[in-house]
Amino acid sequence: MTDKDEQWQQKLTPEQFNICRLKATEPPFTGKYADCKKDGIYHCICCGNPLFDSATKYDSGSGWPSFWDVLSEQSVAEHADVSHGMRRVEVTCKSCDAHLGHVFEDGPQPTGLRYCINSAALDLKERS
């Protein structure tokens, strides 16, 4: 284990570390933001980078928080993911490379995208 991994383990819960640093996935319908309707900005749990606006969150029925767009070009990076015998597009935090989830092309308009994100990778800062 690297020094950086040890630093992340000290900062994150075991679930957050497994998801964000080891690319695990939380079970569907279990995350704290799966059904959240609160207004605000979702940030990366690791570094605080702003990722998604609640205005783009919708109920996809997938069991994970889903968004049809990112907050800005500085929010996320996308990478090919061929793990588990599938071709998917992984979404990571552009600032710290934390694994967030995946993006699919079956979302609503105007983008047609569904950013399917693990709740454990997010921190909602509510608008006042």
Side-chain angles (χ1 to χ4, degrees):
M1 183 173 297
T2 68
D3 288 345
K4 191 67 171 166
D5 287 338
E6 288 180 14
Q7 290 173 358
W8 285 123
Q9 274 191 313
Q10 290 174 7
K11 177 179 174 144
L12 303 170
T13 68
E15 180 187 36
Q16 291 167 338
F17 181 81
N18 285 336
I19 289 169
C20 297
R21 307 322 308 177
L22 302 179
K23 302 183 183 212
T25 300
E26 65 197 8
F29 303 102
T30 62
K32 66 181 178 179
Y33 297 126
D35 294 321
C36 181
K37 307 284 190 232
K38 295 178 180 175
D39 185 35
I41 302 294
Y42 290 88
H43 295 253
C44 175
I45 197 69
C46 295
C47 71
N49 186 31
L51 303 170
F52 301 96
D53 190 310
S54 63
T56 65
K57 188 174 186 289
Y58 71 102
D59 183 6
S60 68
S62 68
W64 290 276
S66 297
F67 304 86
W68 52 263
D69 204 0
V70 297
L71 189 62
S72 78
E73 290 182 15
Q74 301 308 311
S75 298
V76 304
E78 298 179 5
H79 313 276
D81 178 0
V82 293
S83 64
H84 306 290
M86 297 180 269
R87 288 184 171 270
R88 300 180 292 175
V89 177
E90 177 189 15
V91 177
T92 61
C93 174
K94 204 166 197 178
S95 178
C96 73
D97 202 36
H99 171 77
L100 304 172
H102 293 85
V103 61
F104 302 94
E105 295 181 347
D106 62 358
Q109 293 305 318
T111 65
L113 299 175
R114 173 174 53 100
Y115 289 88
C116 190
I117 307 298
N118 291 287
S119 287
L122 300 173
D123 179 31
L124 174 61
K125 298 197 187 305
E126 291 183 54
R127 289 188 182 94
S128 45

